Amino acid sequence: MNEILENEQREHPKENRPTMLLVLAILSFLNIGWSLLSNIASLVSGPMNAEDLEASKVEMTKGLNEIRGQEGLGWLEEFIRGAMEMIEATNANHSLSVLSGIFILLIGVAGVFLMFTGRKLGFHTYIIYSFLAAVQVYLFVSPSMFSNTIVIFSLVISAVFILLYAQNLKWMK
């Protein structure tokens, strides 16, 4: 009886989890897991105090001074300035920012888990997670305060993963 079932599974490879899905799920779980741990640690440690915030600004300003005036690095200068403003704004709303990040990451975990178990609902959940993760910064920081490069980069990486996951939709039910 076992031989018949094994032969049937070999004849219907659609029932076996695609290797590409396994690899994508592992990569996603690692990324989301690391982000969850970072957010939980940030929640426990609390917002930066005034001294730490100032030290962070000083370090970023040093980096800014090193690249200032160098040809072709104007975008990096804008990026660093925006990052400084973004750190201040998110630090002011630290708990809410971190908790919303954790919530969004949990949506991502659910999406990847559902896809890993063969459910198409996970794919749609992952798309929602990807969008929310990319634009979450706009909840706490005005778009005029920083370069949209971070969001665009995040959306491009998310689009690549969504397209790769889409390759496995035939296997999902």
Side-chain angles (χ1 to χ4, degrees):
M1 183 72 172
N2 283 342
E3 287 181 31
I4 294 171
L5 288 175
E6 288 175 7
N7 286 335
E8 193 173 312
Q9 283 182 340
R10 284 188 202 123
E11 291 173 5
H12 302 291
K14 188 175 181 182
E15 298 302 320
N16 296 328
R17 180 178 294 110
T19 305
M20 185 168 143
L21 179 60
L22 175 65
V23 170
L24 289 171
I26 289 170
L27 290 173
S28 295
F29 281 133
L30 287 172
N31 178 50
I32 294 171
W34 180 257
S35 296
L36 267 172
L37 289 174
S38 297
N39 277 340
I40 291 169
S42 180
L43 186 63
V44 169
S45 67
M48 287 190 273
N49 60 32
E51 290 175 1
D52 291 340
L53 192 57
E54 191 60 35
S56 176
K57 283 174 148 183
V58 167
E59 286 302 313
M60 291 182 118
T61 303
K62 285 179 186 176
L64 192 60
N65 289 336
E66 288 177 19
I67 62 164
R68 186 170 284 138
Q70 292 184 16
E71 193 171 319
L73 293 179
W75 66 272
L76 186 56
E77 198 172 326
E78 180 186 336
F79 178 81
I80 292 172
R81 278 197 189 106
M84 287 168 55
E85 292 175 6
M86 192 168 65
I87 288 171
E88 282 185 77
T90 55
N91 194 57
N93 298 303
H94 181 265
S95 294
L96 190 57
S97 174
V98 173
L99 287 172
S100 68
I102 290 171
F103 177 73
I104 291 168
L105 290 166
L106 291 175
I107 292 172
V109 167
V112 174
F113 178 76
L114 288 169
M115 285 189 287
F116 185 74
T117 58
R119 299 189 55 209
K120 280 186 183 178
L121 176 62
F123 180 72
H124 302 293
T125 305
Y126 187 81
I127 291 172
I128 292 167
Y129 151 74
S130 296
F131 176 74
L132 290 174
V135 299
Q136 175 200 9
V137 69
Y138 292 130
L139 294 173
F140 307 101
V141 181
S142 169
S144 64
M145 288 179 83
F146 68 96
S147 168
N148 293 325
T149 307
I150 297 169
V151 174
I152 292 168
F153 181 73
S154 180
L155 287 171
V156 168
I157 296 298
S158 293
V160 168
F161 268 79
I162 289 168
L163 290 173
L164 290 171
Y165 274 121
Q167 300 295 314
N168 298 286
L169 280 173
K170 289 181 240 166
W171 179 78
M172 298 178 209
K173 294 180 188 326

